[in-house]
Amino acid sequence: MRQGIRSIRSARRAGPLWLALAASLASGCASAANQNGGFYVDPDSNPAIWVRDHGGDARAAKIRGSIAGKPMARWFGNWSGAIGGAVSRYVEAARSADKLPILVAYNIPGRDCGSHSGGGAGSPEAYRTWISSFASGIGNSRAVVVIEPDALAQLDCLSAEQRAVRVGLLQYAAREFKQRAPNALVYHDGGNASWIGADDMARRLQSAGVAEIRGFALNVSNYHTSADSNRYGAAVAASLKSQFGYAKPFVVDTSRNGNGSNGEWCNPAGRKLGVASQNATGGAEMLLWVKVPGDSDGPCGIAPNTPAGTFSPDIAVRLIEGR
């Protein structure tokens, strides 16, 4: 746990939240932050903005209490403007509140294989500049960062040349966060429990430089139960150990996994909020709302006219009620 020990040493001048969290992570038990109080609540999340703008809507109170007032990730991409400043302002707001922010870097070229969330940086060179500025925006601040959801699991949609470029960019990102954001807990995305086999995902994570960062994230924007994700995460960690001589911890996205998966991924009906962001004991070291609950996956499923990343109060209420 050398990385955790370094985090404790560098956190001695930090607030009490991070000292407790770093100590618990380094000892292998992430139990310091309470269920909702330890992580930063984004005052400008899509659900929070909708609630502010629709105070008279009958759904607003329910969404405020069950979603907008909970800690979740903020996603940064090509919509974020000057990325270094955007990230810096966000982590500084969290630091001022003595809370731990959750951030997602989502700008890899060829993002989402050109599907509903397609886009990303226009070139490898542009991405390297962007991700370096992202990491520099965190600097010595404390943060949780998930790097590029789906980027490794979706390698199969790329040509051999494109795969090599993407893996190289993910390696670069891992090195940049290690050097420029030494106090951040950084995780490569590792897909979900039903996507890529554990041995294959371990090889992909290794190739992307997971050895340089904290670990890997699972179930981002998906629905698998925490139990299923924990089993898969343990298998990936064991495969990293057997193939490459080291294991890594993992985190699980619980934003929409309260009813588990029905095998569909794009705005399926019958899903439910999972437990709010919190530290965990056994299996995942943190359970996090990485996907913003209520944000559409694309114009599909129960939201056929709602673009990806757009908040839908109807989706939100259905997640609250589990229908």
Side-chain angles (χ1 to χ4, degrees), residues 50-81:
W50 185 89
V51 166
R52 283 203 301 269
D53 292 344
H54 298 84
D57 192 296
R59 299 165 293 184
K62 181 176 288 189
I63 293 171
R64 179 188 300 109
S66 296
I67 295 178
K70 306 292 186 182
M72 65 191 76
R74 178 178 287 191
W75 292 54
F76 294 83
N78 48 347
W79 58 85
S80 301

Side-chain angles (χ1 to χ4, degrees), residues 1 17-35 39 100 144 185 187 214 249-251 277-288:
M1 284 284 185
L17 166 66
W18 180 258
L19 283 169
L21 180 60
S24 66
L25 289 174
S27 67
C29 175
S31 59
N34 63 37
Q35 288 189 1
F39 295 93
L100 185 63
V144 174
L185 300 171
Y187 303 86
R214 177 70 187 178
F250 60 92
V251 299
S277 299
Q278 58 185 269
N279 294 316
T281 56
E285 63 179 3
M286 287 184 281
L287 305 175
L288 304 172

Side-chain angles (χ1 to χ4, degrees), residues 7 15 53 57 75 120 122 143 183 201 218 229 257 264 269 290 294 310 321:
S7 296
D53 292 344
D57 192 296
W75 292 54
N183 297 323
M201 181 52 70
L218 299 177
S229 297
N257 76 344
E264 300 176 16
V290 181
T310 300
E321 298 177 351

